[in-house]
Amino acid sequence: MRLLIKKLNKTRKKQAKKIDILCNDFIGAQRDFIKSLKTISFIANFYESIIGITDLNTLLYSVVQLIKEENTDANVTFFLRQSENFELFMFESEQPITFEKQQLENSFTPELMDNICKSNKVCTLDDMFAMGLQGNLIGLNKITGVTIPLGQSGSSFGFVLVYRSSENKLTTEEISNISAVTCGLSRAIQSCQATLHSAD
């Protein structure tokens, strides 16, 4: 009788472990599914918000607002290649703000901007330092940020800089959500630029 009870208890423990594993797997799958739904919702809302915009400033301002809604306290700057130089787009309101009002952007040299463009990948601050980012190291230690490439068919015509205080570090999920919309955003930017050039 004791052996039977012992065997039964062993079997119950094994089953309980299997149930725990299944429950944890189910909870993990559900969590991943919810993350995917949030990403899909962000992408759908993003494209719905920018559809039909033909003015570059209006487009970029709208994108900044959408990114800020999803990424609390984020600063967003666009660096777009213009022949040999880069044009910066930063917004406090519907109008671009002056270059001098920002700090991290002031550390971007033409060489660094070119290197980020050529890398054509998401770059962290560490990557940017390796590419030549220079500035107040104490100030930069208080910042978390990435650049996300803009372009099509493997070539980059610019990038988006997203950064905020290191106390509220940018998450992998937040970076992935922004990266998920850059393909369509790149097309929209090029379309606005083409409209601008044809008007000139």
Side-chain angles (χ1 to χ4, degrees), residues 4-20:
L4 189 63
I5 290 168
K6 197 174 181 182
K7 194 175 181 182
L8 187 63
N9 284 340
K10 231 181 196 181
T11 306
R12 279 183 187 161
K13 281 180 184 176
K14 277 185 183 176
Q15 284 178 336
K17 276 185 184 176
K18 286 179 183 176
I19 289 168
D20 280 350

